[in-house]
Amino acid sequence: MQQYKPLVLAFIGDASYNLYIKRKIIDSYIKVNDLQKQTAIYCSARFQAKLTKHLIENNMISESELLIFKQARNQKSHNAPKNTDILTYKTSTGFEAVWGYWYLNDDQNRMDEVWEIIKTIQE
């Protein structure tokens, strides 16, 4: 597999995470009117930062995943966050990089494992 820079992993992770979440929400038979609202919760920087904190505090992330997270989180970004503070934005960027890593490595089991955790975390 080609080695990607941390922010490229985050870019890939953002797209694949959004699609993954949307498919899971659709599969859960939520009313059509609630699809966007539910997706917006799980795909927000705030929720992703909360999820990442949970994963790290509960030792649910490997050393290699933590390294990817930190590399992406610590990258200089040319985008300023619009709806959140910079720390939350950088934390969510780190999470998206890890998700991108799982996606590129076709680690469906890991993504499904995190989905089960996502369902237990309330916004």
Side-chain angles (χ1 to χ4, degrees):
M1 181 182 81
Q2 181 180 354
Q3 192 71 16
Y4 289 101
K5 292 181 180 183
L7 291 181
V8 173
L9 279 176
F11 183 76
I12 293 167
D14 178 53
S16 62
Y17 177 78
N18 276 285
L19 181 58
Y20 181 93
I21 293 298
K22 287 177 181 183
R23 289 194 65 194
K24 289 297 184 179
I25 290 171
I26 289 167
D27 291 347
S28 67
Y29 303 107
I30 290 178
K31 293 178 186 175
V32 174
N33 294 340
D34 294 334
L35 290 175
Q36 184 58 35
K37 183 172 92 175
Q38 206 60 33
T39 300
I41 291 170
Y42 292 130
C43 294
S44 71
R46 188 170 140 217
F47 182 83
Q48 290 174 351
K50 182 178 180 179
L51 171 62
T52 303
K53 182 178 178 187
H54 178 84
L55 293 172
I56 292 170
E57 287 178 351
N58 291 286
N59 298 314
M60 298 174 160
I61 193 162
S62 72
E63 287 300 318
S64 60
E65 293 166 346
L66 190 58
L67 179 62
I68 292 166
F69 164 76
K70 287 179 179 179
Q71 287 173 341
R73 179 197 63 192
N74 294 336
Q75 290 288 305
K76 282 193 175 184
S77 176
H78 300 291
N79 296 333
K82 295 174 187 151
N83 299 320
T84 190
D85 63 275
I86 191 71
L87 181 60
T88 300
Y89 179 78
K90 286 183 162 287
T91 301
S92 69
T93 299
F95 169 77
E96 289 169 344
V98 174
W99 191 276
Y101 171 79
W102 294 332
Y103 175 79
L104 290 173
N105 284 290
D106 200 26
D107 197 344
Q108 189 67 44
N109 288 336
R110 190 69 170 116
M111 291 185 283
D112 291 343
E113 185 179 296
V114 172
W115 170 247
E116 292 303 315
I117 295 165
I118 288 170
K119 293 189 308 185
T120 67
I121 297 175
Q122 298 301 316
E123 182 62 11

